[in-house]
Amino acid sequence: MNLSEDLIVPYNEQIVGFSGERVDTRGYLDLRTRIGSRKDGREVRVRFLLVEANTSYNVLLGTPCLNAFGAIVSTLHLAMKFPSDKGTICTVHADQQIARQCYAAGLRITSYSHPRKQHRSEVAMTDLDPRTNTKDQLQPEGETKEIPIGKHPGQVTKIGGALKPEEEELLRAVILENKDLFAWSSADMPGVHPDVMSHKLAIFREARPVAQKKRKMGEKPRRAVEEEVRKLEEAGFIKEIKYTTWLANVVMVKKTSRKWRMCTDFTDLNKACPKDAYPLPSIDRLVDGASGHNFLSFLDAYSGYNQIPMYGPDRSKTAFIIDRANFCYEVMPFGLKNAGATYQRLMDQVFRGQFGRSMEVYVDDTSMDMWQLQNHTITRRSTAHTSRRFKS
């Protein structure tokens, strides 16, 4: 249709089919629409959702569009009638031959195989130890050296093996001096005080609570759910709750490590919440800001979302159901619609004044660069400095 991409408005929801399948949307746009070929027909502004699909037709007119035209459809007469602005009745007749051709063509079309994106608005991923599946994590190039920094075997961190002796010695000293900042389990996380930040749900006033019906699952997923819930209880992330109004199911997903990941279906709750349009950093700006430096360190916050408490009155709305009881989250879980915005807002508050100087933050990944180490302490300096080496 030769429409500009600038006209497409981002839309983070999905279309749900009759059998429960979900289709990703590219966005939406409003177009002036006229039905039929008569000049006295009405023209109405209609909002269209754009989807990637291989079909024999280009447009589906839903109930909101038909209601806007005041149209009445008769499948018996293969016709649709609607009033025009001049008071006359416009009629649109269906072509049965073309309809049969479209149906036959649709049977021959292969389904669209666009890789489905994982929507964090759908499910909440609760993995207490994100290091159990490290295949997708960023790995350093070249050889590395391990530095033991914990009380138990295996509690190590890695540094580059190509560092100069004086650089390695200085880096080791800084790491060992700050070894208490490393978290090895949920017990090592003090969390964020509610006065600093908590996650609140802004639910539409007209929204009605949705209690999902309990879904069945096999024996292996059921045992995995019990184990994950036990870990969450021990970590203090969830608590048992009674008399719930909002209630979600859990879904078990196989990770690449063949272990189970417990997910919570917050679809209904997310639909009832407006989007928090808090600005996230530009990836291009972050990459440009990090380029040109000799040293770059990536830090991944340990269960970063789970360190932010849920706002007290909203905790019951995060309730989920398992075989033996219902639970709700005490901390902010993955999957809530505006969880990313809350986390980025916290990072901006904590590290205000450091962005662009010594560090950058994008959601829960932190990169620190341009460290100048002097007397085993970290000194921040401006990006205007030309020297990028550690100095003793």
Side-chain angles (χ1 to χ4, degrees):
M1 297 178 66
N2 294 324
L3 295 173
S4 173
E5 291 285 339
D6 297 335
L7 298 177
I8 302 176
V9 181
Y11 185 70
N12 62 349
E13 299 295 340
Q14 294 178 315
I15 298 176
V16 182
F18 290 106
S19 59
E21 76 277 8
R22 297 177 179 274
V23 180
D24 293 322
T25 58
R26 285 191 55 198
Y28 71 83
L29 73 165
D30 297 329
L31 298 177
R32 301 293 298 180
T33 304
R34 181 188 297 272
I35 297 180
S37 58
R38 293 182 54 175
K39 294 183 179 180
D40 58 348
R42 297 176 59 194
E43 188 176 278
V44 177
R45 180 176 292 275
V46 178
R47 176 162 295 181
F48 291 91
L49 292 177
L50 303 182
V51 299
E52 298 283 359
N54 290 336
T55 64
S56 57
Y57 46 85
N58 298 321
V59 175
L60 287 177
L61 299 182
T63 304
C65 176
L66 298 179
N67 290 344
F69 279 94
I72 298 177
V73 179
S74 173
T75 57
L76 177 62
H77 300 91
L78 295 179
M80 179 176 66
K81 292 188 175 184
F82 58 92
S84 68
D85 293 333
K86 297 181 180 180
T88 59
I89 300 298
C90 299
T91 304
V92 176
H93 293 279
D95 190 318
Q96 193 173 37
Q97 183 178 0
I98 294 180
R100 289 182 180 276
Q101 292 175 357
C102 288
Y103 177 73
L107 296 177
R108 295 191 298 267
I109 292 178
T110 57
S111 60
Y112 184 71
S113 59
H114 191 281
R116 186 179 182 277
K117 296 180 180 179
Q118 182 76 15
H119 276 261
R120 290 194 171 186
S121 61
E122 284 185 57
V123 295
M125 282 169 261
T126 0
D127 195 350
L128 293 184
D129 190 350
R131 295 165 297 177
T132 57
N133 182 15
T134 59
K135 291 185 178 180
D136 297 331
Q137 294 185 4
L138 188 66
Q139 300 295 332
E141 294 184 358
E143 297 182 357
T144 58
K145 296 181 179 179
E146 292 186 348
I147 301 178
I149 54 178
K151 298 180 181 178
H152 305 285
Q155 295 182 350
V156 299
T157 190
K158 296 180 180 180
I159 63 174
L163 294 174
K164 295 181 179 179
E166 61 272 15
E167 295 172 346
E168 179 180 338
E169 181 182 355
L170 196 53
L171 187 56
R172 282 177 177 268
V174 172
I175 292 175
L176 294 176
E177 184 179 354
N178 297 278
K179 62 181 180 181
D180 59 318
L181 301 180
F182 290 82
W184 306 106
S185 67
S186 57
D188 298 329
M189 300 189 306
V192 178
H193 195 279
D195 292 343
V196 177
M197 185 68 64
S198 63
H199 185 69
K200 298 182 179 181
L201 301 177
I203 297 179
F204 293 119
R205 291 184 178 179
E206 64 274 13
R208 295 182 179 181
V210 178
Q212 299 177 3
K213 294 183 179 180
K214 187 176 181 302
R215 301 171 189 165
K216 297 180 180 179
M217 62 176 62
E219 182 63 22
K220 290 184 179 180
R222 187 188 63 80
R223 290 200 300 265
V225 167
E226 293 289 342
E227 178 63 20
E228 287 297 319
V229 168
R230 183 189 63 79
K231 293 179 181 179
L232 289 170
E233 278 191 290
E234 291 180 354
F237 291 170
I238 62 174
K239 69 175 182 179
E240 187 174 348
I241 187 174
K242 300 178 181 179
Y243 307 112
T244 60
T245 53
W246 290 90
L247 190 61
N249 275 280
V250 295
V251 181
M252 300 306 293
V253 181
K254 272 288 184 68
K255 298 188 292 187
T256 55
S257 61
R258 307 305 300 169
K259 294 183 179 180
W260 290 100
R261 183 192 297 273
M262 191 180 82
C263 308
T264 308
D265 185 2
F266 284 133
T267 304
D268 296 313
L269 181 60
N270 287 336
K271 287 181 179 178
C273 297
K275 181 176 177 58
D276 183 356
Y278 188 80
L280 296 178
S282 169
I283 290 294
D284 294 339
R285 184 185 64 79
L286 296 183
V287 173
D288 292 342
S291 63
H293 304 303
N294 291 337
F295 295 95
L296 189 64
S297 177
F298 288 91
L299 303 180
D300 188 8
Y302 187 101
S303 296
Y305 278 28
N306 298 145
Q307 297 192 48
I308 300 177
M310 283 294 300
Y311 180 59
D314 290 333
R315 292 176 182 175
S316 61
K317 300 180 179 67
T318 64
F320 60 91
I321 184 172
I322 64 172
D323 280 347
R324 60 182 176 87
N326 297 336
F327 294 86
C328 70
Y329 281 93
E330 298 267 69
V331 296
M332 183 179 71
F334 282 98
L336 292 180
K337 191 170 188 177
N338 300 310
T342 298
Y343 193 90
Q344 186 66 44
R345 185 181 282 109
L346 173 65
M347 292 296 98
D348 292 345
Q349 179 177 333
V350 172
F351 298 110
R352 183 179 302 161
Q354 301 306 317
F355 298 135
R357 298 181 59 196
S358 60
M359 67 182 302
E360 298 289 355
V361 174
Y362 187 82
V363 189
D364 64 344
D365 288 320
T366 306
S367 70
M368 299 186 178
D369 49 29
M370 299 169 291
W371 291 122
Q372 181 180 14
L373 306 180
Q374 293 181 345
N375 299 325
H376 296 181
T377 60
I378 300 177
T379 305
R380 298 179 296 271
R381 64 179 166 160
S382 170
T383 56
H385 289 195
T386 58
S387 175
R388 305 302 183 196
R389 290 288 183 182
F390 289 137
K391 296 183 178 180
S392 58

